[in-house]
Amino acid sequence: MADGDGQADDRDLVDSSHWLPLFQMLNAMDQDIASLYDDAGVTGLRTRFVGPLIKLGRHGSMTIKELATAVEVTHSAMSQTAAAMRAAGFVEGAESGDGRTRCIQLSQRGRELLPLLQAEWRATEVTLRQLEAEIPYPLTQVVKDINAVLARRSFKQRLDDNLTRALKEDLR
């Protein structure tokens, strides 16, 4: 088998993780963002809270479904995030227009942190755009290109085909 440079790689595929460097880079960036909150003395804040908290700051109270749609995650993921944000004291229950739905809103603590959250978000966006300007092939373009290829044949289809091969041929 050849690696990305066309060089032979004799390792068993189970001993590899092709995109591990990407995941490690993203994790390191996420940890750097989290360190900003630590440096500011903010406890209990996870980086995954920031987008939803900013949305709540801009839109007021929202249902879990509305918030999940706004930040483009599943309802289940947002439900878990909302529970964690509530436990950390960043959100609280809110009155809804009808008694059938439950809403959340920023707590006093969440409202107090909102300027820092928005400033960090803006700083992160500018930093990422600056990074992309320094590299020859921006990651946003890579994502567009991968999505175009996947539009022709989905990742699931490709995975199914390769799983069949692996089960038959013991791909290594």
Side-chain angles (χ1 to χ4, degrees):
M1 170 170 302
D3 65 17
D5 296 329
Q7 301 295 316
D9 185 348
D10 294 331
R11 293 180 301 165
D12 185 314
L13 290 171
V14 173
D15 295 324
S16 69
S17 180
H18 193 66
W19 281 3
L20 181 61
L22 173 63
F23 299 133
Q24 289 172 327
M25 179 192 68
L26 293 173
N27 186 51
M29 290 176 169
D30 196 57
Q31 289 176 355
D32 286 345
I33 293 167
S35 75
L36 296 175
Y37 296 118
D38 291 340
D39 293 347
V42 179
T43 59
L45 184 64
R46 299 181 194 162
T47 55
R48 70 182 170 115
F49 295 175
V50 177
L53 292 173
I54 289 172
K55 291 293 184 194
L56 288 169
R58 289 187 167 241
H59 299 287
S61 68
M62 299 174 79
T63 66
I64 300 299
K65 181 179 179 181
E66 291 168 338
L67 194 51
T69 299
V71 297
E72 300 182 41
V73 299
T74 65
H75 183 277
S76 176
M78 184 50 62
S79 182
Q80 291 174 10
T81 297
M85 291 189 304
R86 184 186 301 256
F90 298 113
V91 300
E92 61 193 13
E95 296 294 323
S96 66
D98 70 37
R100 297 174 297 168
T101 58
R102 294 186 3 209
C103 294
I104 59 170
Q105 64 186 9
L106 292 177
S107 65
Q108 180 63 34
R109 183 176 187 217
R111 286 189 298 277
E112 290 170 359
L113 284 176
L114 195 56
L116 175 62
L117 303 179
Q118 291 171 332
E120 174 274 307
W121 193 281
R122 288 181 178 111
T124 298
E125 283 296 310
V126 168
T127 301
L128 291 172
R129 291 164 196 229
Q130 289 170 337
L131 278 171
E132 278 208 341
E134 291 183 38
I135 60 176
Y137 196 71
L139 188 56
T140 51
Q141 186 61 51
V142 172
V143 170
K144 287 176 188 175
D145 292 346
I146 290 172
N147 282 332
V149 170
L150 292 175
R152 293 191 297 271
R153 189 161 161 253
S154 76
F155 187 78
K156 176 75 165 83
Q157 290 170 320
R158 294 163 189 268
L159 188 58
D160 285 343
D161 290 348
N162 284 317
L163 178 58
T164 299
R165 287 182 56 214
L167 289 170
K168 288 180 182 177
E169 301 171 24
D170 193 27
L171 290 180
R172 295 196 176 265

